[in-house]
């Protein structure tokens, strides 16, 4: 090719989109269904089967094959507490469990304000729910 592949892309797609809150999960076991569930300050829950909220929160599609990722985003976070939970629906690793990496980004893509918190969670049993964090805006 005579030109860089990036020259073919719309420039608007090449920079991160600023969002107040971005939460991303990935796990270490194939054929596993881990659900990311966020309870927003209003009490509304955002998860795979209710993936858009009145406050503008969205959860990406759910993966039950592979290692994720699954993400939650809200562009303009409302004041209050966002509760982050994980739920193990099923896993091929019934005896060893599944390890989940949780990345919580406040003020994502704002180099002066961005803060990142990492958590590693071990889920062992089907239908197990684990509270990961509370994020306050």
């Amino acid at each position: 090719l005579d030109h860089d592949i990036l020259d073919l892309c719309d420039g608007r797609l090449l920079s991160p989109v600023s969002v107040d809150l971005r939460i991303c999960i990935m796990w270490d076991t194939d054929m596993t269904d881990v659900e990311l569930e966020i309870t927003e300050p209003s009490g509304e829950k955002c998860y795979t089967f209710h993936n858009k909220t009145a406050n503008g929160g969205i959860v990406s599609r759910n993966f039950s094959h592979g290692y994720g990722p699954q993400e939650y985003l809200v562009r303009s976070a409302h004041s209050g507490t966002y509760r982050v939970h994980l739920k193990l629906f099923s896993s091929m690793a019934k005896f060893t469990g599944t390890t989940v990496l949780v990345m919580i980004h406040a003020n994502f893509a704002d180099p002066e304000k961005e803060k990142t918190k990492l958590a590693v969670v071990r889920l062992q049993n089907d239908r197990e729910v684990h509270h990961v964090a509370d994020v306050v805006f």
Side-chain angles (χ1 to χ4, degrees):
L1 295 173
D2 293 333
H3 49 308
D4 191 325
I5 190 74
L6 296 178
D7 293 337
L8 301 173
C9 296
D10 183 328
R12 296 172 297 175
L13 303 175
L14 298 178
S15 60
V17 174
S18 294
V19 295
D20 283 351
L21 183 58
R22 176 182 182 233
I23 301 168
C24 181
I25 63 171
M26 295 174 275
W27 48 92
D28 70 347
T29 311
D30 196 7
M31 305 295 288
T32 298
D33 187 1
V34 179
E35 177 77 32
L36 174 62
E37 181 180 282
I38 308 300
T39 304
E40 296 184 335
S42 66
E44 187 174 9
K45 292 183 180 184
C46 193
Y47 57 98
T48 299
F49 299 109
H50 181 74
N51 64 349
K52 294 179 185 166
T53 68
N55 292 335
I58 58 171
V59 164
S60 64
R61 78 180 271 258
N62 191 20
F63 293 94
S64 58
H65 295 81
Y67 306 94
Q70 189 174 28
E71 290 188 298
Y72 167 83
L73 302 171
V74 64
R75 186 169 281 225
S76 297
H78 289 200
S79 295
T81 301
Y82 290 76
R83 296 185 57 88
V84 182
H85 288 92
L86 299 177
K87 184 173 186 178
L88 180 63
F89 270 103
S90 62
S91 174
M92 292 301 290
K94 294 195 184 297
F95 300 108
T96 60
T98 298
T99 302
V100 183
L101 173 64
V102 183
M103 295 171 286
I104 301 171
H105 306 277
N107 302 303
F108 181 72
D110 183 335
E112 294 180 18
K113 293 188 203 174
E114 183 173 346
K115 292 182 182 168
T116 300
K117 177 182 177 183
L118 300 176
V120 176
V121 176
R122 188 81 177 150
L123 299 175
Q124 189 70 38
N125 303 309
D126 282 353
R127 307 287 188 231
E128 178 180 355
V129 177
H130 185 86
H131 176 251
V132 177
D134 289 335
V135 182
V136 179
F137 273 87

